[in-house]
Amino acid sequence: MGSSRLPGKTMMTLYEGLPLLHWVVQRFRACQLLDNVIVATTVEASDDAISNWCRVNQVAVFRGSENDVLDRVTNAALTNGADAIVQMGADSAYLDFELIDQLVAHYRSGRHDYVCNDLKLTYPLGIYGHVVRVDKLADINARSDVSEKDRSDVVRYIWEHAADYLISCIEAPDALRCPELRLTIDYPEDMAQAREVYRHFKSGIFTTPEIIALYRSRPEMFAATGKLVQQSAPFIASSPAAA
């Protein structure tokens, strides 16, 4: 709820009078290869609204540090007995359940510590998934040399120490290669766009190919977000320019 650019965004109404968090959970639940969905929020009073919503709607919730996101998510995973997690922000209005199943299947196919699709931006911005081994997160969380910046993002330490981990990054197939399209929610313009997209589809469950087709047929719907600046992402942190 304490977002600096769009305060309270997680509980803002997105579609059919329901908050953004509802649709993120519903899209997560459309995945076929996940065992549970857990909301990891903070112990701050401002996030009581999130915790209360989760309890009313029978969604598992864990509460931890506001600033140490690594510790919060690691302990949410350990408390719930997870051996691996798909980590995403609770503002992922366009969460791609088909992509997540693909990433999870790829994770299970080999000895990976971390599977993602955004160390290089080939999918639309916001269409992502991070599959991480929990024991690796626990090891990182226990280190005394992890910076405050690395603790602010669950997988940042892995991006910045890529040589120490078995990482696999999947690139988009040609049909989904659309890195110029912004599908994330950080600013009021992002929320306005998401509301328009949901109204267009008359549903909270639609696919990335459908969004890309809409973008190509009606680019004006996405024009307002085209020049917004992304402040943090794996493809930024892992790029030579950021090193």
Side-chain angles (χ1 to χ4, degrees):
M1 296 293 282
S3 167
S4 59
R5 288 166 290 180
L6 189 57
K9 63 181 176 180
T10 305
M11 296 304 295
M12 285 183 177
T13 298
L14 175 57
Y15 178 65
E16 290 189 336
L18 297 167
L20 170 58
L21 182 58
H22 167 88
W23 293 110
V24 174
V25 170
Q26 292 303 109
R27 293 180 70 86
F28 249 133
R29 286 176 170 171
C31 298
Q32 300 298 306
L33 299 181
L34 301 184
D35 298 309
N36 196 7
V37 178
I38 303 161
V39 173
T41 191
T42 84
V43 294
E44 299 300 310
S46 60
D47 286 325
D48 288 350
I50 292 175
S51 181
N52 292 338
W53 181 91
C54 288
R55 291 192 174 93
V56 168
N57 290 279
Q58 299 182 319
V59 177
V61 61
F62 179 89
R63 304 188 73 169
S65 169
E66 179 178 24
N67 297 317
D68 193 342
V69 186
L70 171 63
D71 183 76
R72 186 202 323 162
V73 172
T74 299
N75 281 294
L78 292 172
T79 299
N80 286 275
D83 59 1
I85 60 167
V86 178
Q87 178 270 325
M88 296 189 69
D91 58 355
S92 303
Y94 306 92
L95 183 151
D96 188 331
F97 40 89
E98 295 175 333
L99 171 64
I100 288 177
D101 280 341
Q102 179 187 354
L103 295 173
V104 171
H106 184 64
Y107 170 84
R108 290 176 173 173
S109 72
R111 294 180 60 254
H112 304 294
D113 297 325
Y114 176 51
V115 172
C116 64
N117 68 303
D118 56 352
L119 288 178
K120 177 181 179 181
L121 187 62
T122 58
Y123 284 85
L125 176 66
I127 302 299
Y128 74 97
H130 302 151
V131 187
V132 196
R133 281 182 55 175
V134 171
D135 61 356
K136 294 298 181 181
L137 282 183
D139 289 345
I140 296 169
N141 192 45
R143 296 179 66 100
S144 60
D145 60 346
V146 178
S147 69
E148 183 177 338
K149 184 177 181 181
D150 286 336
R151 289 193 170 278
S152 71
D153 201 315
V154 179
V155 291
R156 182 183 294 274
Y157 186 91
I158 298 177
W159 309 337
E160 296 178 346
H161 300 82
D164 298 332
Y165 298 95
L166 298 174
I167 298 174
S168 182
C169 179
I170 295 173
E171 292 193 17
D174 289 345
L176 301 181
R177 193 173 286 261
C178 194
E180 73 276 11
L181 176 57
R182 179 183 173 87
L183 298 176
T184 189
I185 297 187
D186 290 320
Y187 300 94
E189 295 92 336
D190 293 323
M191 181 62 79
Q193 173 184 289
R195 287 168 175 159
E196 189 172 4
V197 169
Y198 272 65
R199 287 195 299 267
H200 170 83
F201 288 115
K202 299 179 181 179
S203 171
I205 305 296
F206 44 83
T207 67
T208 298
E210 289 175 322
I211 304 171
I212 292 175
L214 177 63
Y215 165 66
R216 288 173 175 159
S217 65
R218 295 186 58 189
E220 71 279 1
M221 285 181 61
F222 303 85
T225 65
K227 294 183 180 180
L228 298 177
V229 176
Q230 187 66 17
Q231 296 187 358
S232 176
F235 66 89
I236 297 173
S238 62
S239 69

